[in-house]
Amino acid sequence: MATTKDTQSATAKDPKKQRDRFLAFAFASADLFLEISNNGSITFALGAAKSITGIDEQTLTGKKWLELFAADEHATLTATQANAMTGIRYGPLLVDLNEKFSKHKAIVTGIKMPDSNSFYVTLGFSNMLMEKLSTLVQENGGTLTTGFDPGDKK
């Protein structure tokens, strides 16, 4: 009989199972994933794009990410991307989406990863708990005190 350790070891060796597991964890925490270039263009979109933004994934690709948000959110989001430090998660931020596309509020988080010039953003539907957490984050300067050290090889 296979043990949990045996199953974990087999999964660790199977790239498709690893990818599927990673995606499951990712979608458990957010509804839409965006990769943003240095110039602010969306280079990759995956998830519930149409439900959150009113725009499908293919149409999102190539758009400026700030177009998705209400004009009064642009300064905060621009500063978040411009000041992003590798390995530090930004948000959650409660934002208003651009009414041209959607009347929803959304929760935004972002991170810059080592060896990448992109800014990785998640969007999720707003809920009361995340709204409270976003208030705490804003009081703390836009970041949680968690993050990882890209130089840590552990």
Side-chain angles (χ1 to χ4, degrees):
M1 179 172 210
T3 66
T4 301
K5 190 173 185 177
D6 294 335
T7 304
Q8 287 176 341
S9 178
T11 300
K13 294 176 185 172
D14 182 345
K16 183 182 180 320
K17 285 185 180 180
Q18 283 181 320
R19 181 204 63 211
D20 291 348
R21 180 176 277 162
F22 180 75
L23 280 173
F25 285 130
F27 278 112
S29 64
D31 300 299
L32 178 60
F33 303 93
L34 302 174
E35 181 178 4
I36 312 300
S37 69
N38 279 338
N39 73 3
S41 295
I42 299 169
T43 57
F44 178 80
L46 177 68
K50 188 87 170 168
S51 296
I52 293 178
T53 68
I55 305 169
D56 63 76
E57 294 170 355
Q58 292 78 23
T59 306
L60 278 179
T61 303
K63 281 192 169 300
K64 296 291 187 179
W65 79 297
L66 294 177
E67 290 178 40
L68 302 177
F69 304 97
D72 60 344
E73 305 291 0
H74 291 191
T76 299
L77 295 170
T78 298
T80 299
Q81 181 183 11
N83 297 319
M85 293 185 294
T86 301
I88 304 296
R89 183 173 39 199
Y90 294 85
L93 303 172
L94 179 64
V95 296
D96 289 309
L97 295 174
N98 185 335
E99 287 188 7
K100 184 166 84 172
F101 305 121
S102 175
K103 297 195 184 319
H104 293 288
K105 286 189 177 289
I107 297 294
V108 174
T109 62
I111 193 167
K112 192 163 189 79
M113 296 298 290
D115 302 321
S116 175
N117 291 323
S118 296
F119 187 55
Y120 297 89
V121 173
T122 67
L123 271 77
F125 288 107
S126 171
N127 64 46
M128 214 161 39
L129 178 61
M130 290 304 287
E131 287 182 24
K132 287 181 181 182
L133 183 56
S134 72
T135 300
L136 293 173
V137 167
Q138 287 174 335
E139 291 169 358
N140 192 40
T143 63
L144 292 173
T145 56
T146 61
F148 69 93
D149 179 352
D152 187 4
K153 304 296 182 196
K154 292 181 190 174

